[in-house]
Amino acid sequence: MDIKQLEGFVKLAKTLNFSLTAQSLFLSQPTLSHWIKQLEKELGFDLFKRTKREVELTTAGQSFYEDCQYLLEHFHKSVEKARGYSEKYSKQLVIAYENNSLALAHLSSIIQKFSFLYPEIQIILKSTNHIQKDSLFLDQKVDILFTVKDKVTKASNVIFEELYRGSYMCVLSPKHPLADKENLAFQEIEGEALLLLDPMYCPDEMKKMVEQIRHCCPRSPITYVDPQMTGCTMAKSGHGLAIMPDFICISDPELCQIPFQVDESIPYGIVWRHSHASKFLDEFIKIAKETYHVQTH
């Protein structure tokens, strides 16, 4: 089975006429008939009902025709897209990021500035999560990773550059009794229903904070949430007070974000492999550092 056979089948399915279809493809009618027979043999079912007077699609043929139109359309688009890349770009830079407010606020600006300097480099952007990011990076499927300081940042041949120091926030409904506070500490949330990030799915630094909260607030009923959107949604509905880093809090007028008075913070930054160092990679890191410094200070 090849693309030409599929294109011949789609054209024949439209005309239901072997002679007209063969002419449009600059083929002999026997050649077209052979293509269709070979295709039916490979598929294991008939595509057309043939009589001396007419040709019509079988039920299976109609179904296959509808899907083939979609497949061929996207195949040709993919070829054109790839051809454009081969002509325009000389290299690729694959970037992975965790979906949070820091990435949303700064990543597009960084890419725009970098692409202005290096238009010949194709940017491939991948959204990932805490579970997938380590394997993506360590398996060398990405060149650069935006993430919190975690296990992957301690691996050999890896460089971590901090771009932002996150602080912890208490996220709660405006109707919550503590919503009018300027900041909150352990003694004030003790006994309150708490919504904490699930230790199974969060970085080590956040796991330490979860353990500290559990130790300091033994009377508080705790619900573990994942992802952070779940915690914010539950807080919004009045089912507790969520505690999480500021850069993963969602912006919502029906939620209050109050600073949590703890010494701990969350380093967030950019990770790359020392062995992949290059002039354009160095430039990307430089732009990222400049962008975060300007926009967060």
Side-chain angles (χ1 to χ4, degrees):
M1 185 187 305
D2 60 33
I3 292 298
K4 289 184 177 180
Q5 283 180 310
L6 293 177
E7 288 177 333
F9 161 68
V10 168
K11 284 185 178 292
L12 182 57
K14 291 178 179 179
T15 66
L16 297 177
N17 186 302
F18 274 87
S19 178
L20 289 176
T21 302
Q23 289 176 22
S24 70
L25 294 171
F26 302 99
L27 300 171
S28 66
Q29 189 168 326
T31 299
L32 178 61
S33 296
H34 177 70
W35 279 11
I36 299 302
K37 287 178 182 178
Q38 284 295 109
L39 186 56
E40 290 177 325
K41 184 178 179 180
E42 288 187 51
L43 292 171
F45 54 81
D46 290 338
L47 296 168
F48 297 96
K49 296 176 185 176
R50 304 168 181 84
T51 67
K52 291 182 178 180
R53 293 186 175 182
E54 62 181 6
V55 176
E56 62 178 291
L57 284 164
T58 63
T59 302
Q62 179 65 38
S63 174
F64 190 59
Y65 165 63
E66 292 170 359
D67 289 336
C68 272
Q69 284 184 298
Y70 174 83
L71 289 172
L72 286 174
E73 179 183 349
H74 282 266
F75 170 77
H76 290 302
K77 285 182 178 178
S78 297
V79 171
E80 290 302 317
K81 183 179 179 182
R83 181 177 292 116
Y85 283 142
S86 69
E87 295 171 354
K88 182 177 180 180
Y89 300 112
S90 61
K91 293 181 180 179
Q92 285 187 342
L93 184 63
V94 184
I95 304 165
Y97 68 98
E98 293 179 81
N99 195 4
N100 56 53
S101 61
L102 288 176
L104 293 175
H106 307 313
L107 195 48
S108 61
S109 176
I110 295 169
I111 292 172
Q112 185 178 34
K113 292 174 184 176
F114 176 81
S115 294
F116 178 79
L117 296 175
Y118 293 93
E120 73 279 11
I121 296 178
Q122 178 188 7
I123 299 293
I124 305 294
L125 200 57
K126 296 178 180 289
S127 176
T128 184
N129 57 42
H130 173 67
I131 302 300
Q132 298 172 339
K133 69 179 177 68
D134 289 3
S135 59
L136 269 177
F137 185 79
L138 295 175
D139 291 344
Q140 301 196 32
K141 294 180 179 178
V142 299
D143 302 305
I144 288 174
L145 174 65
F146 285 86
T147 183
V148 297
K149 192 172 185 179
D150 200 9
K151 293 176 183 176
V152 70
T153 65
K154 301 171 185 175
S156 61
N157 192 37
V158 167
I159 303 172
F160 174 77
E161 181 75 38
E162 183 176 319
L163 299 174
Y164 179 83
R165 183 60 66 113
S167 57
Y168 283 95
M169 304 293 286
C170 295
V171 182
L172 59 164
S173 165
K175 298 178 182 178
H176 194 285
L178 298 176
D180 60 346
K181 299 286 186 179
E182 291 188 6
N183 52 65
L184 290 168
F186 283 115
Q187 62 268 26
E188 291 163 307
I189 65 169
E190 161 67 337
E192 298 289 338
L194 302 178
L195 306 164
L196 306 181
L197 297 174
D198 192 330
M200 292 289 290
Y201 305 104
C202 67
D204 290 343
E205 294 296 324
M206 297 185 198
K207 289 179 185 178
K208 293 177 185 177
M209 174 54 64
V210 168
E211 288 303 311
Q212 186 176 353
I213 294 170
R214 289 178 58 188
H215 176 74
C216 295
C217 303
R219 294 188 300 109
S220 290
I222 293 174
T223 301
Y224 293 114
V225 296
D226 179 70
Q228 74 272 21
M229 179 67 75
T230 303
C232 291
T233 300
M234 292 185 69
K236 185 175 176 178
S237 64
H239 281 78
L241 180 154
I243 300 175
M244 60 186 67
D246 56 356
F247 55 83
I248 66 171
C249 296
I250 65 169
S251 179
D252 190 319
E254 295 183 43
L255 281 173
C256 294
Q257 296 182 22
I258 301 175
F260 190 36
Q261 297 301 295
V262 290
D263 294 332
E264 289 75 8
S265 57
I266 300 290
Y268 175 90
I270 189 170
V271 182
W272 71 98
R273 284 176 288 276
H274 189 271
S275 58
H276 285 193
S278 64
K279 181 180 178 181
F280 72 83
L281 186 60
D282 289 344
E283 188 65 36
F284 187 93
I285 306 302
K286 178 183 176 183
I287 293 171
K289 291 168 64 175
E290 290 174 350
T291 301
Y292 271 83
H293 177 77
V294 168
Q295 297 188 22
T296 60
H297 287 76

